[in-house]
């Protein structure tokens, strides 16, 4: 989610007000976009103050030479463009690893208001993101196991018991090598998103105390088995394989055999007996199942609650009519006071 807002300003370069109602770009706007992107009056690469890296995935009934020719023709449209050598590309990838957005733990939870443009919208939503550091094979599996463990109790508590909103879900959010747990709850005026955030944090505390702490080693096996089977499923068609490859390109990770590697790791865990000694690694070099079970709780304590490698972010998507302040910084107490006044007024009207 932070990535979406970080790149939002760049979308203005792609917008064009057209009186004819067409979505086609004029040649003048394309040339202006190219000049703005590459810099300089003539768009020469020598005076450019920006770097552009174009990545493409071509698959299907095409040879390697044909794919290169097609890509070169497409690149000719956005010329001038410097073509990096292999070494330059590797340097770019190393620089990319140093430009991952990290939420400061000391400032957490950060709050971000997003007014919904639909004037008739009455629902609000909370997006709660807990950053858990950079990706690795074991960390990917740990955060996914936690997400799977959270799904049913989260829906039952917030949706069924507390009835905070109709939409209650969680998933693993990954972008540019970083990852975290993301929680989404859609609510109404009766449950503003900042109140939902407090309830969610209480649930996460209770989940750790009452469920994760009591989780047995054998309780992990169904989750690990389901994760392994999912990764062992072959791609059903070419678009599905292309989407999987493109996800690696888009995230800047380039681990095209990730599914096979994670499936082997999970199968190695499942082959172990529960009574096996809790050594750090087994004979195959994989963490023992007992150690993985213990690491799950440690990961929650250090990353989810301790914010060792990142903080948390609250995104409040609220109706535009909730925004009583024009300009300046909008605070939660201002919107809460507005809603309280509105609720009091509605109560008086009902009694009248």
């Amino acid at each position: 989610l932070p990535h979406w807002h970080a790149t939002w300003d760049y979308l203005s370069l792609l917008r064009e007000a057209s009186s004819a109602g067409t979505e086609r770009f004029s040649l003048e706007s394309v040339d202006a976009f190219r000049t703005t992107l590459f810099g300089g009056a003539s768009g020469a690469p020598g005076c450019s103050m920006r770097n552009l890296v174009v990545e493409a995935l071509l698959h299907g009934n095409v040879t390697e030479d044909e794919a290169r020719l097609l890509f070169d023709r497409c690149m000719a449209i956005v010329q001038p463009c410097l073509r990096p050598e292999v070494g330059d590309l590797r340097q770019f990838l190393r620089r990319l690893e140093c430009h991952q957005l990290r939420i400061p733990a000391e400032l957490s939870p950060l709050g971000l208001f997003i007014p919904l443009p639909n004037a008739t919208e009455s629902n609000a939503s909370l997006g709660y993101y807990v950053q858990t550091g950079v990706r690795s094979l074991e960390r990917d599996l740990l955060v996914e196991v936690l997400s799977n463990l959270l799904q049913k109790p989260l829906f039952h508590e917030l949706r069924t018991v507390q009835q905070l909103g109709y939409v209650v879900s969680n998933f693993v959010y990954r972008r540019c090598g970083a990852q975290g747990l993301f929680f989404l709850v859609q609510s109404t005026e009766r449950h503003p998103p900042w109140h939902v955030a407090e309830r969610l944090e209480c649930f996460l505390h209770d989940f750790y105390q009452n469920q994760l702490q009591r989780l047995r080693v054998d309780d992990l096996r169904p989750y690990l088995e389901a994760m392994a089977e999912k990764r062992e499923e072959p791609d059903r068609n070419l678009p599905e394989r292309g989407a999987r490859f493109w996800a690696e390109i888009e995230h800047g990770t380039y681990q095209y055999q990730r599914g096979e590697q994670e499936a082997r790791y999970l199968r190695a865990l499942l082959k172990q007996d529960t009574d096996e000694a809790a050594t750090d690694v087994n004979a195959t070099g994989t963490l023992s199942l007992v150690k993985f079970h213990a690491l799950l709780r440690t990961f929650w304590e250090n990353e989810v609650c301790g914010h060792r490698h990142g903080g948390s972010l609250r995104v409040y998507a609220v109706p535009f009519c909730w925004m009583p302040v024009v300009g300046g910084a909008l605070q939660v107490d201002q919107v809460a006071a507005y809603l309280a006044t509105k609720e009091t007024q509605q109560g008086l009207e009902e009694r009248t």
Side-chain angles (χ1 to χ4, degrees):
L1 186 63
H3 174 77
W4 301 341
H5 293 279
T7 58
W8 180 257
D9 291 337
Y10 291 96
L11 297 180
S12 60
L13 293 173
L14 300 175
R15 294 175 183 168
E16 179 188 17
S18 175
S19 58
T22 177
E23 296 182 355
R24 295 179 61 86
F25 296 108
S26 64
L27 294 178
E28 292 77 8
S29 64
V30 173
D31 186 65
F33 170 76
R34 182 171 60 181
T35 303
T36 303
L37 185 66
F38 290 97
S42 61
C47 57
S48 174
M49 300 302 293
R50 294 177 173 88
N51 292 321
L52 173 67
V53 174
V54 178
E55 296 177 298
L57 174 64
L58 289 84
H59 59 93
N61 188 20
V62 60
T63 65
E64 182 177 350
D65 292 336
E66 292 171 341
R68 290 182 181 276
L69 179 60
L70 179 58
F71 179 73
D72 290 339
R73 289 178 177 177
C74 294
M75 290 305 299
I77 300 175
V78 296
Q79 290 293 344
C81 180
L82 295 177
R83 298 180 64 91
E85 300 295 335
V86 176
D88 296 332
L89 183 58
R90 290 174 180 172
Q91 291 178 5
F92 166 77
L93 295 180
R94 286 195 293 269
R95 292 199 309 269
L96 182 64
E97 294 175 356
C98 301
H99 287 75
Q100 295 160 345
L101 179 62
R102 178 175 180 176
I103 302 175
E106 59 274 12
L107 299 180
S108 298
L110 292 176
L112 175 64
F113 274 98
I114 301 179
L116 301 176
N118 188 358
T120 61
E121 181 62 59
S122 60
N123 294 320
S125 65
L126 167 72
Y128 194 95
Y129 174 59
V130 182
Q131 200 169 45
T132 58
V134 297
R135 300 185 62 178
S136 68
L137 189 148
E138 290 173 354
R139 296 173 68 89
D140 284 6
L141 297 177
L142 285 169
V143 72
E144 188 170 341
V145 169
L146 286 175
S147 179
N148 293 335
L149 290 171
L150 281 164
Q151 283 180 357
K152 288 185 178 180
L154 176 74
F155 185 87
H156 174 73
E157 179 63 26
L158 299 189
R159 171 67 178 90
T160 306
V161 178
Q162 300 189 31
Q163 298 183 357
L164 297 181
Y166 182 76
V167 178
V168 177
S169 63
N170 70 283
F171 52 89
V172 179
Y173 179 80
R174 296 183 171 114
R175 175 66 65 178
C176 298
Q179 65 180 343
L181 291 169
F182 197 95
F183 303 89
L184 180 64
V185 181
Q186 178 178 302
S187 59
T188 61
E189 291 182 359
R190 182 182 177 184
H191 300 291
W194 43 91
H195 292 169
V196 176
E198 295 175 355
R199 301 281 188 90
L200 174 61
E201 290 176 345
C202 291
F203 163 78
L204 294 177
H205 178 269
D206 294 340
F207 170 79
Y208 173 73
Q209 295 292 336
N210 301 326
Q211 300 189 46
L212 191 59
Q213 288 278 44
R214 302 176 182 178
L215 186 71
R216 300 175 302 173
V217 176
D218 284 340
D219 294 336
L220 283 177
R221 291 187 178 274
Y223 296 94
L224 300 179
E225 180 68 32
M227 292 168 58
E229 291 179 355
K230 182 179 179 180
R231 285 159 172 78
E232 290 170 346
E233 293 179 358
D235 298 321
R236 290 171 292 185
N237 47 54
L238 191 58
E240 187 172 293
R241 175 174 295 180
R244 179 168 59 86
F245 286 169
W246 184 252
E248 296 290 338
I249 298 173
E250 183 181 13
H251 295 168
T253 47
Y254 308 103
Q255 298 293 329
Y256 303 110
Q257 306 301 323
R258 183 186 304 275
E260 293 85 341
Q261 296 173 0
E262 293 178 347
R264 289 195 297 268
Y265 188 96
L266 290 168
R267 288 302 178 191
L269 285 176
L270 290 168
K271 287 180 179 179
Q272 302 171 31
D273 296 329
T274 306
D275 298 332
E276 183 180 356
T279 56
D280 289 344
V281 295
N282 59 12
T284 63
T286 306
L287 280 178
S288 67
L289 185 58
V290 176
K291 184 66 176 180
F292 186 86
H293 172 265
L295 191 60
L296 194 66
R297 292 197 297 265
T298 304
F299 185 84
W300 180 279
E301 295 169 357
N302 294 337
E303 305 296 345
V304 179
C305 296
H307 302 306
R308 174 177 292 183
H309 293 102
S312 60
L313 173 68
R314 296 178 179 181
V315 181
Y316 306 123
V318 298
F320 190 79
C321 60
W322 289 22
M323 314 293 279
V325 178
V326 180
L330 186 64
Q331 302 297 329
V332 172
D333 54 355
Q334 293 174 323
V335 182
Y338 168 78
L339 292 178
T341 304
K342 184 177 180 181
E343 183 178 356
T344 303
Q345 182 179 0
Q346 289 177 346
L348 291 174
E349 293 175 352
E350 291 176 358
R351 286 193 294 271
T352 303

